[in-house]
Amino acid sequence: MMRYHKVPEETIKRMPQYLRALLFLRQQSTKYITSRGLSEYVLLNPPQIRKDLSYFGAFGLRGTGYEVEPLIKQIRRILKLDVEQKTVLVGAGRLGSAIARFPGFQRYGFNITDIYDNAGKRIGKKIGKIQIKDVAKLNKIKANSVKIAIIATPPETAQQIADALVKAGVTSILNLTSAYLAVPKKVRVRTVDLAMELGMLPYYT
Amino acid sequence: MMRYHKVPEETIKRMPQYLRALLFLRQQSTKYITSRGLSEYVLLNPPQIRKDLSYFGAFGLRGTGYEVEPLIKQIRRILKLDVEQKTVLVGAGRLGSAIARFPGFQRYGFNITDIYDNAGKRIGKKIGKIQIKDVAKLNKIKANSVKIAIIATPPETAQQIADALVKAGVTSILNLTSAYLAVPKKVRVRTVDLAMELGMLPYYT
DNA sequence: TCCTGTGAACTTGTTCACAGCT
DNA sequence: AGCTGTGAACAAGTTCACAGGA
């Protein structure tokens, strides 16, 4: 049992992929899946999958594979997605409102509880059931113990939003702007800049 | 000179980051930048940056650093972003329309020339200057030599869109749905599933 | 002196082969 | 027999130390 080995960062990045595949399999009423079967959904080879999972424990059944439902529970627990993760969204422009209505987040345990914007014309309006609040009141989220935030503002304001979020106790940020965010070491930032994601594709053509 | 070494995939992924930083520096009228200076914008250490750039040639000036403008040109050339990359967007829902108006793509050389959707109510309407076309006419893009596509449809339709795109000659796809896309080996797919990007953040809290 | 360019050492991550359980 | 779990071999990527030019 390898539970006490250090888990590679790359393994952590792959765990949500396994979760996604397993959720899909459950929907298809699949009860058991082998590492070979899973490999068709995540484009990784079977030993890689087995090794990744084995860092956290021995979840499989030799001769049979992995039981889908319990494995979903385990991965959710490992990634801390078994408890509802309160999430705040800053920026209610086009991208922000697309995000706010995105069904995928719920399925992973993320619950967008607050939406903020700085534009007067948007404040007070609703996206779904959530009323857009003034970004000046971001400090209020502290009492709410929100740890995760999504920034979907113009890049120019991203840093000041990040500062306010950190001050309010947020520890993880998904940055959807092209701005580089300077934050304290304890705060985790994942930046997804769509233009940059496209940027590497032509190289291989 | 290392130009004939194999370039690591990880290096390619970082090149757009360097480009982004350099574009920012140019905007600040910075003429020269050292690897140390760049490292503050991309969160990588200086030797890593020097090594990455050296895979493609010796662009630096010993004692001085890199000249911003020529390095931008070089990276654009390396990534094939110096020629306009015609790009087609499929899916004109909330996310799609946010993408279509996204200013970042232009700056990287991507020019969205066509937008497709399958919803009758959207076809014919305009986003900016581009009229939304019926997705059934996707095959038309072949004559236009579009090589890059962005899929921002619901996940259920993503695979059939991908099939049509491949048939129409597209070689690179940015998949913004949660669907796994099966494509021929020569076609490059980059999937960005925002829920998955969020998924790994709570682990580290 | 300052900073780049790079071979070599080192670290991290992946693949393999097979032991071991069902 | 079939499939997992994992140490060990292997591959890829990163860091370092320093040679060499401005």
Side-chain angles (χ1 to χ4, degrees):
Chain A
M1 138 79 91
M2 296 174 35
R3 215 183 304 232
Y4 303 107
H5 288 223
K6 180 162 114 300
V7 180
E9 168 123 23
E10 298 297 317
T11 294
I12 302 297
K13 286 191 195 162
R14 285 189 291 267
M15 297 306 282
Q17 296 190 52
Y18 299 141
L19 179 55
R20 182 175 70 175
L22 289 163
L23 290 171
F24 177 75
L25 287 164
R26 180 172 68 178
Q27 206 185 315
Q28 312 278 305
S29 303
T30 306
K31 291 275 175 289
Y32 295 90
I33 187 79
T34 63
S35 56
R36 171 112 53 91
L38 257 182
S39 75
E40 287 169 26
Y41 293 93
V42 294
L43 274 219
L44 297 161
N45 50 25
Q48 176 84 78
I49 295 170
R50 295 202 300 276
K51 173 137 261 187
D52 280 345
L53 295 175
S54 78
Y55 282 113
F56 303 101
F59 305 134
L61 306 159
R62 293 171 196 224
T64 317
Y66 300 86
E67 206 180 340
V68 172
E69 186 62 38
L71 188 53
I72 287 175
K73 286 218 169 60
Q74 289 289 354
I75 295 181
R76 283 212 158 115
R77 181 186 54 76
I78 291 160
L79 292 176
K80 301 186 188 165
L81 301 176
D82 53 343
V83 293
E84 177 194 72
Q85 295 282 350
K86 285 185 194 164
T87 306
V88 53
L89 168 67
V90 186
R94 287 176 212 286
L95 182 58
S97 16
I99 299 278
R101 300 173 199 260
F102 205 57
F105 292 123
Q106 279 297 341
R107 213 173 331 131
Y108 281 74
F110 298 102
N111 186 11
I112 295 179
T113 56
D114 294 290
I115 302 176
Y116 291 89
D117 202 293
N118 66 356
K121 60 176 179 180
R122 290 192 193 126
I123 295 165
K125 290 197 177 157
K126 282 189 171 185
I127 298 184
K129 289 176 182 162
I130 307 165
Q131 197 166 32
I132 299 172
K133 299 191 183 70
D134 188 335
V135 79
K137 289 169 185 156
L138 249 186
N139 56 321
K140 292 267 175 68
I141 66 172
K142 194 160 196 172
N144 238 325
S145 70
V146 176
K147 295 289 177 229
I148 297 178
I150 303 172
I151 303 182
T153 64
E156 303 81 56
T157 54
Q159 182 64 59
Q160 67 193 76
I161 299 292
D163 294 344
L165 287 168
V166 169
K167 201 176 273 181
V170 162
T171 56
S172 297
I173 295 174
L174 179 61
N175 173 28
L176 300 179
T177 79
S178 59
Y180 162 69
L181 301 181
V183 295
K185 270 199 302 296
K186 53 170 188 180
V187 177
R188 193 131 187 126
V189 176
R190 178 102 183 92
T191 297
V192 177
D193 178 342
L194 293 176
M196 266 186 37
E197 300 293 339
L198 257 185
M200 61 171 293
L201 287 176
Y203 178 82
Y204 292 100
T205 62
Chain B
M1 139 77 96
M2 297 175 36
R3 217 185 301 238
Y4 303 108
H5 288 223
K6 178 162 117 300
V7 180
E9 167 124 24
E10 296 298 317
T11 294
I12 303 297
K13 285 192 196 162
R14 284 189 292 265
M15 296 307 282
Q17 296 188 54
Y18 299 140
L19 180 55
R20 182 174 69 174
L22 289 162
L23 290 172
F24 177 75
L25 287 164
R26 180 172 69 177
Q27 205 184 314
Q28 311 279 308
S29 305
T30 306
K31 291 275 176 286
Y32 295 90
I33 187 79
T34 63
S35 56
R36 170 114 53 92
L38 257 182
S39 75
E40 287 168 28
Y41 293 93
V42 294
L43 275 217
L44 296 161
N45 50 26
Q48 175 85 78
I49 294 170
R50 295 201 301 274
K51 174 138 261 190
D52 280 345
L53 295 175
S54 77
Y55 281 114
F56 302 101
F59 304 134
L61 305 159
R62 293 168 196 229
T64 318
Y66 300 86
E67 207 180 340
V68 172
E69 186 62 37
L71 188 52
I72 288 175
K73 286 219 169 59
Q74 288 289 355
I75 296 181
R76 282 213 157 113
R77 181 186 53 77
I78 291 161
L79 292 176
K80 301 186 188 164
L81 300 177
D82 54 342
V83 292
E84 178 193 71
Q85 295 282 350
K86 286 185 193 163
T87 307
V88 51
L89 169 66
V90 187
R94 287 176 212 286
L95 181 58
S97 15
I99 299 278
R101 298 171 200 261
F102 205 58
F105 293 124
Q106 280 296 342
R107 210 171 340 127
Y108 280 73
F110 298 102
N111 187 11
I112 295 179
T113 56
D114 293 290
I115 303 176
Y116 290 89
D117 202 293
N118 65 357
K121 60 175 178 180
R122 291 193 193 124
I123 295 166
K125 289 197 178 158
K126 282 189 171 185
I127 298 184
K129 290 176 183 163
I130 307 164
Q131 197 165 34
I132 299 172
K133 298 192 183 71
D134 189 334
V135 80
K137 289 169 185 156
L138 248 186
N139 56 320
K140 293 266 174 69
I141 66 173
K142 194 160 196 170
N144 237 328
S145 70
V146 176
K147 295 288 177 231
I148 297 177
I150 304 172
I151 304 182
T153 64
E156 302 80 58
T157 54
Q159 182 63 59
Q160 66 193 75
I161 299 291
D163 294 344
L165 288 167
V166 169
K167 200 177 275 179
V170 162
T171 56
S172 297
I173 295 174
L174 179 61
N175 172 29
L176 300 179
T177 78
S178 59
Y180 161 68
L181 300 182
V183 295
K185 271 198 301 296
K186 54 171 187 179
V187 177
R188 191 127 189 130
V189 176
R190 178 104 182 93
T191 297
V192 176
D193 177 343
L194 293 176
M196 266 186 37
E197 300 293 338
L198 256 186
M200 62 171 294
L201 287 176
Y203 178 82
Y204 292 99
T205 61

